[in-house]
Amino acid sequence: MVRPSEYGDDTVTDTSIPRADQSLDEEGTAPIAANGDTDVDTEPEETEGEAGREKKAPAESDLFRQSEIAADYVEGLLDILDYDGDIDELVSGGRPVVEVVGGRLQSLVGQRGATLEALQELTRLAVFRQTGTPSRLLLDVGGYRANRRKELAAVAKNAVEKVKEYGEAVRLEPMSAFERKCVHDVVNAMSGVESESEGVEPNRRIVVRPVD
């Protein structure tokens, strides 16, 4: 393994989401749908006593430290699993990021990124254990999240086209928080439509509606 040492009563039409090759925030700020709904890639929840208190954004050095801790943890997992991968840690969009690239990492992604999401949560926990601070770390393996973003952008645009053509709401199939954010970002950048999330995990989904 090589790791550089430096550096989230309407008529409704169902649509299907194209699957990734079965081989995710998420960048920037949390997306806010037109109705105020916020989908974050498993954003750490506000703890008791923090309500009403202004939160100070972590320093760049603190974020990079989180990415280093996360990279060390992921490297240890790859060693245990006997997988080879290049690991890069960085800070992007105001959050720590760890990217893993390799030729035999498909099983770390899983169906629709389910395994990747679980690994990300474990990695965030590892960061929390060392820093005492909830982390918004984003973990990507084999470029899955970047590829999935492109697919979801197409899904969102297709839903918007249907809404504008028929004037009816379009309900997408259940998605992860990362996937919902990708769709919200695209829909909210387009005029004449709005998006909101409904349901509970793991069946939480997005509904795209025309703006009155």
Side-chain angles (χ1 to χ4, degrees):
M1 281 178 297
V2 178
R3 179 163 62 85
S5 59
E6 189 178 18
Y7 301 118
D9 186 26
D10 294 310
T11 302
V12 179
T13 302
D14 284 319
T15 64
S16 60
I17 300 175
R19 295 293 198 270
D21 288 338
Q22 302 301 342
S23 354
L24 175 211
D25 122 116
E26 173 196 16
E27 296 178 354
T29 57
I32 301 178
N35 72 331
D37 176 51
T38 301
D39 265 321
V40 183
D41 183 21
T42 52
E43 188 79 19
E45 296 182 359
E46 187 177 68
T47 57
E48 185 177 356
E50 288 182 337
R53 222 175 8 172
E54 184 178 353
K55 295 182 181 179
K56 185 177 180 181
E60 183 93 357
S61 58
D62 292 334
L63 294 175
F64 185 68
R65 174 58 180 153
Q66 290 183 26
S67 68
E68 287 184 314
I69 295 171
D72 286 341
Y73 178 77
V74 171
E75 185 174 25
L77 284 179
L78 294 182
D79 285 340
I80 292 173
L81 296 171
D82 194 25
Y83 286 172
D84 289 326
D86 294 334
I87 304 175
D88 190 18
E89 65 265 19
L90 60 148
V91 175
S92 177
R95 68 189 303 173
V97 177
V98 170
E99 298 176 344
V100 185
V101 179
R104 193 169 60 91
L105 301 174
Q106 182 60 41
S107 60
L108 298 182
V109 174
Q111 185 176 23
R112 290 282 296 277
T115 303
L116 175 58
E117 293 296 333
L119 289 175
Q120 178 172 271
E121 289 308 302
L122 288 174
T123 307
R124 286 178 172 179
L125 179 59
V127 173
F128 177 75
R129 287 173 65 99
Q130 287 202 39
T131 66
T133 302
S135 176
R136 297 179 62 238
L137 173 88
L138 184 69
L139 174 64
D140 196 9
V141 173
Y144 171 80
R145 292 191 188 278
N147 293 332
R148 189 66 177 140
R149 261 190 210 98
K150 294 178 182 178
E151 293 177 348
L152 291 166
V155 169
K157 291 176 182 177
N158 181 61
V160 169
E161 289 175 0
K162 288 180 181 291
V163 170
K164 290 184 175 181
E165 181 178 358
Y166 299 108
E168 299 175 350
V170 172
R171 176 180 286 119
L172 303 178
E173 68 179 59
M175 302 180 188
S176 68
F178 163 75
E179 292 173 322
R180 294 195 303 270
K181 182 194 184 311
C182 293
V183 173
H184 278 312
D185 285 347
V186 174
V187 174
N188 292 339
M190 305 179 79
S191 62
V193 293
E194 62 184 12
S195 62
E196 64 179 351
S197 294
E198 65 176 21
V200 296
E201 302 290 2
N203 295 314
R204 193 161 172 77
R205 66 180 69 212
I206 287 178
V207 179
V208 183
R209 305 179 187 278
V211 173
D212 295 331

